[in-house]
Amino acid sequence: MRSDEELRAAIAGARDALKVATDHLDKIVNAAEVTEDDWQDASAAVGLSMALHREHMARVGVLLGMGGAQKRLLRYLLRHVGEIVSGPELSGVSGIAEWSRRVRELRVEHGWPIESGVQSRELRSDQYILLRAEPDEALARKWRLASDIRKGGGTVGKRILAYLQAISPEAADREDLDHVAKSSNWRSAIDDLRDEGWDIHSVDEDSSLAPGSYRLLL
């Protein structure tokens, strides 16, 4: 069981790490001259301080019984269902550098209907919104389908076509296609499929699609 003293020490550690970062910047502000080396050294020191800050922030969450980063992110999103939240907010809540991966895992592996600029053209790339307060099994099932096709082998084009056919008339977003293709270099495969006569639409043909999303019409 946590002690109040341990909790407050972790909070103080997070505060002090921020103060160290600002102290480094104060030195630069008050310096008679700022050189490139000075700025790089200050940037490195701030980076170390912010890493320590994240560690303390994550420790506070653990001491409060909030679980790991993924649980903390879900808790925050559930408190703001239907509201747009920013990437910096979620970074702070998670306490880890790879917070965006945890958000993606909530969506694709557990089916939470979280959208970002990848899925919605109404959002910026650093904005997120949890649409509903319950998971959507269809989303998780869609990701499992993508994983099965990914494991099936064949060329990038064949895997992408198989996935687009399986989910049509739904659209595949950039994250889906990265996963199926096993890389982010799949756009030439889309072009080749179009040249073969497949009716694949992007935002250029369908303004309702987010940039990087594609829909196959059968």
Side-chain angles (χ1 to χ4, degrees):
M1 180 179 294
R2 69 170 172 85
S3 67
D4 185 66
E5 181 179 350
E6 189 178 10
L7 175 63
R8 292 183 185 278
I11 295 172
R15 177 203 61 199
D16 293 344
L18 282 181
K19 186 177 185 303
V20 170
T22 57
D23 286 346
H24 284 294
L25 294 176
D26 283 342
K27 290 179 182 178
I28 294 293
V29 169
N30 296 320
E33 180 185 3
V34 179
T35 67
E36 292 179 355
D37 288 347
D38 291 335
W39 182 244
Q40 278 203 325
D41 290 344
S43 299
V46 168
L48 289 171
S49 297
M50 294 308 296
L52 182 59
H53 170 73
R54 284 194 297 270
E55 288 180 16
H56 284 296
M57 293 288 284
R59 177 62 178 160
V60 172
V62 171
L63 290 171
L64 287 172
M66 299 171 69
Q70 191 178 91
K71 287 185 177 179
R72 294 195 296 273
L73 287 164
L74 179 57
R75 186 178 190 277
Y76 188 76
L77 289 166
L78 284 170
R79 290 177 55 217
H80 297 276
V81 174
E83 301 175 21
I84 295 174
V85 298
S86 69
E89 286 176 76
L90 297 178
S91 174
V93 167
S94 72
I96 64 172
E98 294 190 344
W99 59 270
S100 60
R101 173 185 282 187
R102 299 295 177 265
V103 174
R104 184 168 63 253
E105 289 169 353
L106 284 169
R107 178 177 182 274
V108 300
E109 294 180 10
H110 302 287
W112 289 96
I114 303 168
E115 289 192 349
S116 69
V118 173
Q119 290 81 32
S120 173
R121 64 195 308 270
E122 304 300 323
L123 299 173
R124 298 197 309 265
S125 60
D126 64 340
Q127 292 181 322
Y128 297 79
I129 184 170
L130 175 62
L131 299 178
R132 295 176 298 281
E134 59 278 331
D136 183 348
E137 172 57 26
L139 278 177
R141 189 164 55 246
K142 187 178 176 184
W143 186 257
R144 290 194 294 270
L145 172 64
S147 296
D148 289 343
I149 292 174
R150 172 190 171 99
K151 296 173 185 174
T155 65
V156 170
K158 286 183 178 179
R159 292 198 302 273
I160 287 177
L161 178 59
Y163 184 64
L164 291 175
Q165 287 176 318
I167 66 172
S168 180
E170 290 185 52
D173 63 41
R174 187 172 67 245
E175 291 178 351
D176 295 335
L177 296 173
D178 285 351
H179 187 61
V180 170
K182 302 182 184 180
S183 84
S184 58
N185 298 318
W186 42 262
R187 286 170 178 77
S188 61
I190 294 281
D191 292 337
D192 291 342
L193 290 170
R194 284 171 157 173
D195 290 343
E196 293 172 11
W198 293 100
D199 192 10
I200 301 173
H201 288 200
S202 69
V203 67
D204 294 331
E205 296 82 26
D206 184 346
S207 61
S208 69
L209 293 174
S213 292
Y214 293 85
R215 174 183 288 120
L216 172 64
L217 300 182
L218 297 175

